[in-house]
Amino acid sequence: MKKFRKVLDGLTTSSPGGTIGTPSGGSAAGTPTAAPTPKEIDVQETLISENFQLCKTVRHGFPYQPTALAFDPVQKILAIGSRSGGVRILGRPGVDCYCQHESGAAVLQLQFLINEGALVTACADDTLHLWNLRQRRPAVLHSLKFNRERITFCHLPFQSKWLYVGTERGNTHIVNIESFVLSGYVIMWNKAIELSTKTHPGPVVHLSDSPKDEGKLLIGFESGTVVQWDLRAKKADFRIYYDEAIHSVSWHHEGKTFMCSHSDGSLTLWNLRNTTKPFQVTFPHGKIQKDGRKESCKPILKVEYKTSRSSEPFVIFSGGLSYDKAGRRPTLTIMHGKAITVLEMDYPIVEFMVLCETPYINEVQDPYAVVVLLEKDLIVVDLTQSNFPVFENPYPMDVHESPVTCTAYFADCPPDIIPILYSIGAKHKKTGYSQKEWPVSGGSWTLGSHTYPEIIITGHADGSVKFWDASAFTLQMLYKLKTSKVFEKPKPGEGRAAELGEEDPFAVQMVSWCPQSRIFCVVGISAHIILYRFSKYDSNTQIVSLEVRLQCDSEDIITPSENENNPCFSEPGPHSPQPHHQHPASPGSRTPEGAKDSIPCLKVKDRVVRVPPGYQSELVIQLLWVDGEPPPQITSVDINSAYGLLAFGNCNGLAVVDYLQKTVLLCISTLDLYGATDPYQRLTRSPRRNRQSTSEFCMRGLSNFYSDSKKRIRTSYQSLTELTDNQQSTDMDRSKSPTSVHYPTSLHNDPRVLPEPVASLRASHCSPVFYLLDNVKGPGRKLSLPTDLKTDLESRENSFSRSRSSSVSSIDRDTKEAVTTLQFGESYGRKNDVLPGPCLWVGTSLGVVLLIPMSIPIDHEERMEDSVTVGPSGAVQMLKGSVLRFAFLDCSGALIQCPYEVWRDQNAPEDSDRPRRRKLVHFSPSSSQDACGEGHLTVVCSERQAKVFLMPSQSCLFVHNITESSFVLRADVVSVCNSVCLACFCANGHVMMLSLPSLRPLMDVNYLPLTDMRIARTFYFTNGGQALYLSSPTEIQRITYTQEMCDNLQEMLGELFTPIETPEAQNRGFLKGFFGGNPQTFDREELFGEAAAGKASRSLAQHIPGQGGLEGMKVAAGGAVGELARARIALDERGQRLGELEERTALMMTSAETFSKHAHEMMLKCKDKKWYQF
């Protein structure tokens, strides 16, 4: 093979850490190997293992399945607990922190230590945790595990270090917050109630101290019993027995009355002077029926009773509606004086909390807002205005407004793209919000020094696409695009979409975006592609539509060829297909027999439409139905603005479209791309019969956000099977790839032979929608979206821990070869080419790499008039598994960017002096070389392997077997630390980094041991050492894989705690204190301390010391390295403390010397004075 000459002067093979010498032969899994033929390459590689470290950075979106809510009225920060054990702490925009309990138990309740920088969490595993919020990454300081009782309610009085804990048995325990140990003081349920009571009062549902006297504790039991317990006298002051179960209790600030909410939808008001019966009973939503009885109402789950200086008290509660109307929305009711306002919510209310001006419970509360935590949203209502408007939420809580179906992440974007997208999107913002500032304004955040423009794109089930500004660890929506506006609304019962029963026909499957040219391409689930151009002006547009009949008529059986490991690289022979060998369908081309079938799934608007500024549709491409079956899903797409071309493929073949001339250049089956260079032996079978229009093959549509309902459409494409280089026994068949699906031909006849549910096709630009085989009335494919709640991790059949079959002995499997990735770029179409030219690289599900050279006119006028010629040149190379990614490097190892067209606004007013012409930017592979024709490197990554080729000779320089027991889900060539590397995410949860071009392993971290389907489909690497994935149906998790960003992470995150003086309590005045009763001073330490109350039983609860500030060490390297790192941190901390002690000692010595000097001077001055002179 051709030798690779030195391209950098002064480099030697002995350079430390970076220079690559002659690679040695061998082929061991997990190690970079070279082809047997000796080669010589000298490229300075600067990346080393120390440049990489993996850690989480920030989480965006709405907390998934929220369970609890808390607010610090002094620090003004908000905490939300979730069912998975997560805690989100929110402050001002930019202050957003995510914490996770190691146990994963649901968070039952949250309690802030007000203005102390600490948070107590009570979890479903009956454990209390104390979190330190005085550091940017909060950590658990203490934990207390209850062994014999279940925690039901917690209460922490303001400025107290004693936490009251109610249990399911009805007992109340007291925990010292400082030491996190139980006090010996216990309020037993049988002491709290009367001895004559024969029934158990039930779990504790409420605990609060009296505003009038901190020594009185109000205990509410579920059965309807309320007890005020005198903590000093250790006896009950009074007991209340009510027929209805209690859900919550709220005090009046004077401590003379309190209000209870009940299960029958009633509110009871109790006066301490007479506790035999309620002072007032109201049914806020209960009407009197004709027979005189109250209609039954739903329970009032929570009530808050707040007083105001300037108006009547507020009574705010959730629930309590009557049962008569089915399907009513959840409501929050605000009773202010005689006015009753009912606020309807879109989702069920999880919790709400009224925000007040003062943290003291014995002062007038003056509520100003109410935070309402819903199942899928967070809203804050302004109580200071009579119409109760909501505040505009500054957090990105609407990521899941429609289920997310795909993601894309772009770092280091052009600096002008974010402001222009924001200016366009700001015109469509909702109005009617409160004019006041967002009340959750705690913490501090500054723009870090390591910031650059970043954009995240999310595609959704309703066809919408959202652009987000992700710079500096924040997330703010810039612009929203609705792709459904391109199509006519399908009428009920009409059209193919209705016939399919598909409720989400516009769902976004993948996106492709060029930030420089602002060309945007959206692939939809209905086998359609929409091309958008960006404009700052509105326009009247006639949408152009192209219909493509991409069909593979022959069914072929693939058997491995003898030269599978060493495929031929000959040029196309005389039997190679011509560019238009298949049927390139023109719009409206239909055969008489199949006229009713040769139609697209959706109908494009055929009239002139007015489109606002922003992204405006220019072209719609749709695949047609064939033989009564829907078109197969599009599996890959690529667009190049410099060439003016768009390429896409599916399991039937490949199509290339000239979007400037609005023509189809190439429409060809995958088999015809090979010509004489087909590496497989295919046995031609008789043509298939037209399948009847039945529901035998089903494709699962987009599921509802929280339901598992099945919406079906049929699909016609065959499954895929993969051929690998080595054979393995079927008992090693443990894993199935999301880029290859297969099932036996006998599946229709034998229901016992079922395929394993694996995902379908992997796209090249972003995670597509995956299809899983499902057996519902026969074999079918169900669409499992990232929003599905059931990830099938419990099922072994759908686990990613299985290794995919590589057996090639079975010749009775129907197979089709899908196009899994596409990439335009400047390359060498044939071995004897001297100069590079436009090419299209094609990767298939069978691991074959194909190269298609193109001839494109250079002149602007010629480009718009002359045709582009496209001709396949045959197979180039084979890899193990489906091809996932292409990238190009020059001979110095630098990444070659794809050529692009500089953005120009086509709707801008004409300028006669400066005619609008296309301005192209090319990055030729030979531009950085001394002589033309030097060539370039092509990096190809598949599910199992990575290879580096030298072009134009097509010789393989390096090979690396990435994994044998799993497969790669996502692969990207990224720029990091002024160099490039190959980033891979595997199905077993490993994140790997490989150097380029030598494919030397740099990092391998078992990041997600249990990878579910959602993460697999939404994982996305980008430049600058960052990546993201959808950690839940509502949240985006961002991570970094560089040591530099991990080191600077503390600087880039916001501060949760800021030093603020606690407001002073108001002076009540002499007369009011004398007649109304001042709150009595109460020494809890005297009662609850070990000296007075003794020690609690050791078997009752177990104290667990927390990780403290060392929690961040988990992501660091394990073993001895991790221990050394911990020891080093401990030494640093000890040295820091010793240094501070030394400074304080020196300061004290200086102060003592100064004092001695002044005393001596004073003695000399006063020595000779008489006593009367002083």
Side-chain angles (χ1 to χ4, degrees):
M1 290 186 178
K2 180 179 178 180
K3 289 189 175 181
F4 201 169
R5 299 188 308 174
K6 293 183 180 180
V7 296
L8 295 176
D9 295 334
L11 296 180
T12 63
T13 57
S14 61
S15 299
T19 304
I20 305 161
T22 303
S24 59
S27 180
T31 58
T33 60
T37 306
K39 291 172 286 292
E40 183 180 342
I41 175 174
D42 276 336
V43 174
Q44 181 73 28
E45 291 187 0
T46 58
L47 292 178
I48 57 177
S49 298
E50 284 72 17
N51 294 129
F52 296 93
Q53 183 184 349
L54 197 67
C55 69
K56 295 179 181 179
T57 54
V58 68
R59 181 172 292 204
H60 303 297
F62 180 77
Y64 182 54
Q65 295 180 329
T67 55
L69 180 70
F71 182 73
D72 188 326
V74 179
Q75 289 289 322
K76 296 191 182 300
I77 56 177
L78 188 75
I80 301 173
S82 69
R83 189 175 300 175
S84 61
V87 178
R88 284 281 291 281
I89 305 173
L90 304 170
R92 67 176 66 249
V95 179
D96 188 341
C97 181
Y98 174 78
C99 314
Q100 176 67 43
H101 292 92
E102 289 186 4
S103 64
V107 178
L108 299 180
Q109 198 174 351
L110 300 167
Q111 286 279 326
F112 274 106
L113 276 67
I114 296 176
N115 204 27
E116 295 291 336
L119 174 71
V120 175
T121 59
C123 296
D125 60 351
D126 306 308
T127 306
L128 298 172
H129 304 274
L130 178 63
W131 293 81
N132 178 18
L133 306 184
R134 291 177 178 253
Q135 54 194 54
R136 294 176 188 260
R137 304 296 291 266
V140 175
L141 295 176
H142 301 282
S143 297
L144 188 65
K145 168 73 174 174
F146 280 74
N147 298 322
R148 296 185 300 186
E149 297 196 52
R150 306 296 304 272
I151 299 174
T152 57
F153 195 86
C154 298
H155 170 63
L156 180 65
F158 178 46
Q159 293 182 328
S160 169
K161 67 174 184 178
W162 298 95
L163 174 72
Y164 301 112
V165 181
T167 67
E168 193 175 35
R169 292 186 180 180
N171 302 326
T172 301
H173 301 276
I174 302 172
V175 178
N176 187 315
I177 291 297
E178 293 178 349
S179 60
F180 232 60
V181 295
L182 274 177
S183 168
Y185 193 111
V186 183
I187 305 174
M188 305 299 292
W189 68 270
N190 54 357
K191 298 286 184 66
I193 65 173
E194 291 180 346
L195 295 177
S196 60
T197 306
K198 297 181 180 180
T199 58
H200 191 278
V204 175
V205 296
H206 177 80
L207 292 169
S208 62
D209 48 344
S210 168
K212 192 175 181 180
D213 185 357
E214 294 178 350
K216 305 295 178 67
L217 183 68
L218 194 70
I219 307 173
F221 297 93
E222 188 181 56
S223 63
T225 302
V226 179
V227 176
Q228 180 166 290
W229 183 262
D230 189 332
L231 294 169
R232 302 182 190 88
K234 298 182 181 180
K235 66 177 183 178
D237 284 347
F238 62 82
R239 299 177 178 91
I240 294 173
Y241 299 98
Y242 196 69
D243 295 335
E244 295 295 333
I246 289 178
H247 286 279
S248 69
V249 181
S250 182
W251 279 100
H252 188 280
H253 81 276
E254 292 180 350
K256 298 177 181 179
T257 58
F258 61 87
M259 184 176 291
C260 300
S261 67
H262 300 277
S263 57
D264 62 346
S266 65
L267 296 174
T268 57
L269 187 63
W270 299 83
N271 194 314
L272 299 189
R273 293 181 179 179
N274 181 12
T275 58
T276 57
K277 63 177 182 179
F279 174 72
Q280 182 181 355
V281 180
T282 58
F283 288 83
H285 296 296
K287 299 178 181 178
I288 300 177
Q289 298 176 344
K290 294 181 180 180
D291 55 2
R293 293 184 304 174
K294 290 274 187 181
E295 60 181 350
S296 58
C297 297
K298 299 177 183 179
I300 295 179
L301 301 179
K302 184 178 180 180
V303 64
E304 294 227 22
Y305 185 22
K306 302 297 181 183
T307 54
S308 175
R309 286 187 178 87
S310 58
S311 62
E312 297 288 329
F314 284 87
V315 177
I316 303 173
F317 61 90
S318 61
L321 294 179
S322 59
Y323 282 104
D324 59 344
K325 294 183 180 179
R328 295 185 68 176
R329 289 185 176 185
T331 60
L332 182 78
T333 305
I334 302 175
M335 299 173 61
H336 189 209
K338 296 182 179 180
I340 299 179
T341 304
V342 179
L343 304 178
E344 289 191 342
M345 304 295 168
D346 293 332
Y347 309 105
I349 297 174
V350 176
E351 173 73 285
F352 75 89
M353 182 166 289
V354 179
L355 308 187
C356 302
E357 295 289 351
T358 176
Y360 297 94
I361 61 173
N362 58 356
E363 296 179 356
V364 179
Q365 299 297 290
D366 278 334
Y368 60 90
V370 54
V371 180
V372 187
L373 178 64
L374 308 177
E375 277 191 1
K376 303 178 190 176
D377 202 359
L378 176 72
I379 64 172
V380 180
V381 181
D382 187 356
L383 295 179
T384 61
Q385 301 183 42
S386 58
N387 59 341
F388 303 125
V390 298
F391 290 88
E392 184 176 6
N393 197 328
Y395 313 124
M397 293 292 184
D398 56 346
V399 172
H400 63 284
E401 183 180 16
S402 174
V404 178
T405 55
C406 72
T407 60
Y409 192 7
F410 299 87
D412 206 9
C413 299
D416 60 334
I417 191 70
I418 290 180
I420 196 169
L421 283 174
Y422 181 79
S423 64
I424 296 296
K427 299 177 182 178
H428 305 284
K429 282 194 172 184
K430 297 179 181 179
T431 57
Y433 293 110
S434 172
Q435 299 300 316
K436 295 192 174 182
E437 292 186 0
W438 179 255
V440 186
S441 57
S444 61
W445 178 79
T446 56
L447 194 64
S449 57
H450 300 78
T451 58
Y452 43 82
E454 300 174 70
I455 287 181
I456 293 174
I457 300 176
T458 56
H460 300 265
D462 62 353
S464 62
V465 178
K466 294 180 180 179
F467 291 76
W468 306 84
D469 178 10
S471 308
F473 287 168
T474 62
L475 195 70
Q476 181 182 11
M477 195 173 80
L478 297 172
Y479 175 72
K480 181 178 180 180
L481 173 67
K482 295 181 179 180
T483 63
S484 59
K485 291 187 175 181
V486 174
F487 304 99
E488 299 283 0
K489 291 184 179 179
K491 297 180 181 179
E494 287 188 10
R496 284 293 183 179
E499 195 175 306
L500 297 171
E502 175 59 54
E503 296 186 15
D504 299 297
F506 310 113
V508 178
Q509 189 173 341
M510 65 185 85
V511 297
S512 179
W513 186 47
C514 177
Q516 289 79 13
S517 61
R518 302 181 189 176
I519 295 287
F520 187 54
C521 183
V522 178
V523 178
I525 194 176
S526 299
H528 63 271
I529 301 175
I530 310 175
L531 179 67
Y532 290 91
R533 285 185 182 270
F534 187 83
S535 176
K536 296 188 291 184
Y537 305 91
D538 56 359
S539 65
N540 297 319
T541 305
Q542 175 75 46
I543 303 173
V544 180
S545 176
L546 284 179
E547 296 176 356
V548 179
R549 187 185 179 94
L550 192 55
Q551 180 185 7
C552 183
D553 292 327
S554 61
E555 293 189 357
D556 306 306
I557 296 176
I558 299 178
T559 60
S561 62
E562 297 178 357
N563 59 348
E564 183 177 342
N565 292 326
N566 298 295
C568 57
F569 305 110
S570 60
E571 298 299 320
H575 300 288
S576 298
Q578 297 300 317
H580 296 278
H581 180 70
Q582 276 285 341
H583 327 283
S586 59
S589 63
R590 296 167 184 171
T591 59
E593 301 86 358
K596 65 177 182 179
D597 285 333
S598 297
I599 59 173
C601 297
L602 301 171
K603 183 180 179 182
V604 180
K605 292 180 179 178
D606 55 0
R607 61 185 182 276
V608 176
V609 294
R610 186 169 185 83
V611 290
Y615 273 104
Q616 302 170 352
S617 57
E618 178 172 320
L619 176 65
V620 178
I621 304 168
Q622 291 181 286
L623 297 184
L624 299 176
W625 283 63
V626 178
D627 297 333
E629 294 181 357
Q633 295 299 302
I634 295 170
T635 57
S636 58
V637 68
D638 191 32
I639 188 170
N640 189 279
S641 57
Y643 302 157
L645 300 180
L646 183 149
F648 63 93
N650 61 9
C651 65
N652 281 344
L654 168 70
V656 180
V657 174
D658 184 345
Y659 68 79
L660 295 179
Q661 298 185 19
K662 311 295 188 296
T663 59
V664 180
L665 300 177
L666 183 69
C667 185
I668 188 171
S669 68
T670 314
L671 175 60
D672 291 329
L673 284 171
Y674 289 105
T677 62
D678 190 355
Y680 297 106
Q681 299 173 6
R682 306 176 193 248
L683 305 180
T684 305
R685 303 177 64 187
S686 59
R688 62 176 179 175
R689 296 179 181 178
N690 291 343
R691 300 186 182 178
Q692 295 181 356
S693 210
T694 65
S695 59
E696 183 180 8
F697 284 86
C698 302
M699 187 167 62
R700 180 174 178 190
L702 292 162
S703 63
N704 287 334
F705 189 40
Y706 280 89
S707 69
D708 199 32
S709 61
K710 298 180 179 179
K711 310 158 194 169
R712 307 268 166 194
I713 68 173
R714 296 173 303 160
T715 183
S716 64
Y717 66 85
Q718 298 282 347
S719 303
L720 304 175
T721 199
E722 185 211 15
L723 301 177
T724 54
D725 290 346
N726 59 330
Q727 298 188 12
Q728 297 177 354
S729 59
T730 56
D731 60 349
M732 294 295 292
D733 201 357
R734 295 175 302 177
S735 174
K736 296 297 175 183
S737 163
T739 55
S740 181
V741 181
H742 78 273
Y743 55 85
T745 55
S746 60
L747 188 58
H748 306 281
N749 302 324
D750 188 0
R752 297 169 299 172
V753 184
L754 294 178
E756 298 184 354
V758 296
S760 179
L761 299 169
R762 178 75 187 176
S764 62
H765 277 262
C766 73
S767 303
V769 181
F770 275 58
Y771 298 93
L772 302 181
L773 295 178
D774 188 21
N775 183 33
V776 180
K777 296 181 182 180
R781 295 174 178 82
K782 72 176 182 178
L783 180 57
S784 180
L785 282 179
T787 54
D788 289 344
L789 296 182
K790 296 183 179 180
T791 59
D792 298 327
L793 278 178
E794 298 176 359
S795 171
R796 284 183 175 272
E797 292 181 342
N798 198 25
S799 173
F800 276 133
S801 63
R802 307 150 56 83
S803 74
R804 72 180 291 180
S805 169
S806 58
S807 173
V808 294
S809 60
S810 176
I811 62 173
D812 60 344
R813 291 177 178 175
D814 288 347
T815 63
K816 281 189 178 180
E817 187 175 7
V819 177
T820 54
T821 184
L822 296 165
Q823 182 69 58
F824 285 105
E826 296 286 313
S827 187
Y828 300 86
R830 294 170 179 82
K831 289 184 179 180
N832 55 3
D833 285 352
V834 179
L835 296 175
C839 292
L840 174 63
W841 288 76
V842 182
T844 74
S845 58
L846 297 182
V848 179
V849 177
L850 300 162
L851 189 55
I852 301 178
M854 299 172 294
S855 176
I856 302 176
I858 300 176
D859 184 73
H860 176 71
E861 284 76 13
E862 293 179 356
R863 176 65 186 86
M864 301 304 296
E865 296 176 0
D866 297 347
S867 60
V868 176
T869 58
V870 180
S873 63
V876 172
Q877 183 58 285
M878 284 191 61
L879 290 85
K880 297 179 182 179
S882 302
V883 182
L884 301 178
R885 183 68 57 212
F886 293 116
F888 310 114
L889 309 178
D890 61 22
C891 292
S892 62
L895 185 65
I896 301 175
Q897 301 291 339
C898 293
Y900 63 87
E901 175 190 1
V902 178
W903 174 73
R904 55 193 176 94
D905 198 334
Q906 294 187 334
N907 296 332
E910 292 284 349
D911 189 352
S912 57
D913 298 333
R914 300 179 61 184
R916 287 184 300 196
R917 299 178 63 88
R918 300 180 71 218
K919 182 180 179 182
L920 308 182
V921 178
H922 285 271
F923 300 92
S924 174
S926 60
S927 60
S928 62
Q929 308 301 318
D930 296 334
C932 292
E934 185 68 25
H936 70 89
L937 303 176
T938 299
V939 181
V940 185
C941 184
S942 72
E943 290 178 331
R944 304 261 183 159
Q945 275 187 332
K947 291 186 177 182
V948 177
F949 301 135
L950 175 62
M951 301 299 292
S953 68
Q954 301 179 0
S955 57
C956 181
L957 298 181
F958 292 97
V959 182
H960 179 72
N961 294 323
I962 300 174
T963 178
E964 291 293 343
S965 61
S966 185
F967 52 91
V968 178
L969 292 168
R970 179 78 196 184
D972 291 290
V973 175
V974 293
S975 298
V976 57
C977 300
N978 299 318
S979 187
V980 291
C981 66
L982 176 62
C984 302
F985 175 62
C986 295
N988 57 10
H990 283 247
V991 176
M992 303 180 183
M993 298 292 156
L994 304 176
S995 67
L996 290 176
S998 69
L999 300 177
R1000 175 170 46 90
L1002 297 171
M1003 184 184 74
D1004 185 354
V1005 176
N1006 187 9
Y1007 174 60
L1008 294 168
L1010 291 177
T1011 300
D1012 60 16
M1013 295 297 295
R1014 184 193 318 106
I1015 297 174
R1017 290 186 299 262
T1018 57
F1019 207 98
Y1020 203 105
F1021 291 102
T1022 190
N1023 297 329
Q1026 295 198 74
L1028 66 79
Y1029 59 90
L1030 209 65
S1031 58
S1032 74
T1034 63
E1035 294 171 288
I1036 295 174
Q1037 178 67 58
R1038 292 166 68 178
I1039 64 174
T1040 180
Y1041 50 87
T1042 63
Q1043 183 67 52
E1044 180 184 6
M1045 186 164 288
C1046 288
D1047 295 339
N1048 297 321
L1049 189 58
Q1050 296 293 329
E1051 174 192 344
M1052 303 174 76
L1053 295 176
E1055 288 275 5
L1056 294 174
F1057 178 80
T1058 53
I1060 301 175
E1061 288 190 9
T1062 303
E1064 295 183 359
Q1066 295 178 0
N1067 188 1
R1068 298 175 58 130
F1070 172 75
L1071 291 177
K1072 191 170 184 179
F1074 183 78
F1075 293 105
N1078 261 327
Q1080 301 180 23
T1081 58
F1082 175 57
D1083 188 359
R1084 294 185 176 91
E1085 181 70 32
E1086 184 180 340
L1087 279 177
F1088 305 147
E1090 185 177 335
K1095 292 184 178 180
S1097 173
R1098 292 185 178 181
S1099 60
L1100 183 60
Q1102 176 188 0
H1103 176 261
I1104 305 171
Q1107 297 293 324
L1110 294 177
E1111 184 172 335
M1113 292 299 301
K1114 290 178 188 175
V1115 190
V1121 177
E1123 294 297 331
L1124 287 173
R1126 293 182 181 91
R1128 184 180 62 186
I1129 290 179
L1131 286 174
D1132 290 343
E1133 292 177 350
R1134 185 168 179 266
Q1136 183 179 358
R1137 288 195 294 269
L1138 289 174
E1140 293 175 355
L1141 180 61
E1142 184 179 355
E1143 290 177 359
R1144 286 199 298 269
T1145 304
L1147 188 61
M1148 290 176 63
M1149 289 178 62
T1150 304
S1151 177
E1153 290 178 358
T1154 305
F1155 178 76
S1156 174
K1157 180 181 177 181
H1158 289 171
H1160 183 69
E1161 292 176 353
M1162 183 64 68
M1163 183 270 293
L1164 294 177
K1165 183 177 180 181
C1166 303
K1167 181 174 63 173
D1168 299 329
K1169 289 187 177 181
K1170 304 294 183 183
W1171 63 269
Y1172 53 83
Q1173 291 179 321
F1174 287 98

